[in-house]
Amino acid sequence: LEYFYSDIKDILPEYKIIVKEHPMDIGRVDYSYLREKYPEIIWIQKWDIWDYINISDYLICVNSSIGLQALSKYKKVLTLWENFYSNNPWVKNISSQEEFSWKLTELSQQDLQKQQKEIDEYIKIFRDKIFISNGWWQNFNQKTITSICERLI
């Protein structure tokens, strides 16, 4: 956040910044320093992720399925470093701090509304062929195992 805050405010000055803490960070990571440094940022912890996506125009994330979820709602997504969906034409991905400003500018000029059909098709293929729901690598259940086995067969 500290590295990118001024670029966000320069490129998208009319936007408010909302930071949603990752559920695994709550109670484990102390963000009080950043909250004090950036009092104009809205900090949230527990809030339905779809409510958060629906009110957003942009989403900047590190490595989370939330970016893919946001893309499914035609939101502009910037990922910090590579992840499992950052190689598609609608998500901008940075691999260094120096790329942030120009990639965010590039993203701000995209019109995803004109590409809804292609995005929907990409999301469907990703959901059907690649993404495994019902758990994650440290917290999986029988549905997760069944889903993985069905893909292997």
Side-chain angles (χ1 to χ4, degrees):
L1 179 64
E2 290 186 280
Y3 298 116
F4 309 122
Y5 178 80
S6 62
D7 287 332
I8 295 169
K9 293 312 287 177
D10 289 344
I11 296 165
L12 305 169
E14 69 279 10
Y15 284 89
K16 291 185 178 182
I17 298 174
I18 300 172
V19 173
K20 181 182 181 299
E21 294 180 40
H22 193 281
M24 295 294 292
D25 287 350
I26 297 171
R28 191 175 60 96
V29 178
D30 181 8
Y31 291 105
S32 58
Y33 163 76
L34 292 172
R35 288 173 191 234
E36 289 173 21
K37 185 172 181 178
Y38 304 105
E40 67 283 359
I41 291 177
I42 300 165
W43 292 82
I44 58 175
Q45 292 182 339
K46 296 178 182 179
W47 195 19
D48 183 85
I49 200 66
W50 289 108
D51 290 342
Y52 174 64
I53 289 171
N54 288 331
I55 67 164
S56 300
D57 292 319
Y58 291 81
L59 186 117
I60 300 169
C61 62
V62 178
N63 185 10
S64 172
S65 63
I66 189 174
L68 192 62
Q69 292 169 275
L71 181 62
S72 77
K73 296 291 186 182
Y74 320 113
K75 306 300 180 172
K76 297 178 180 191
V77 178
L78 179 70
T79 63
L80 309 178
W81 301 276
E82 285 191 36
N83 65 53
F84 58 96
Y85 57 88
S86 62
N87 63 343
N88 74 64
W90 308 287
V91 172
K92 297 298 176 191
N93 174 27
I94 69 161
S95 56
S96 69
Q97 182 181 342
E98 293 75 26
E99 293 179 334
F100 186 85
S101 179
W102 69 268
K103 292 276 181 123
L104 184 58
T105 300
E106 208 174 74
L107 186 65
S108 71
Q109 297 165 357
Q110 276 187 330
D111 185 357
L112 298 182
Q113 299 303 318
K114 293 180 179 179
Q115 300 175 20
Q116 287 184 8
K117 183 179 176 185
E118 293 88 353
I119 292 170
D120 289 345
E121 187 175 310
Y122 174 83
I123 296 292
K124 180 179 179 351
I125 291 169
F126 199 93
R127 205 175 274 147
D128 293 348
K129 305 272 185 206
I130 299 167
F131 193 74
I132 297 172
S133 58
N134 300 313
W136 53 293
W137 72 277
Q138 289 183 332
N139 182 19
F140 57 90
N141 57 36
Q142 186 62 43
K143 287 182 180 180
T144 310
I145 295 168
T146 302
S147 180
I148 292 169
C149 290
E150 287 173 353
R151 302 244 175 118
L152 294 173
I153 296 176

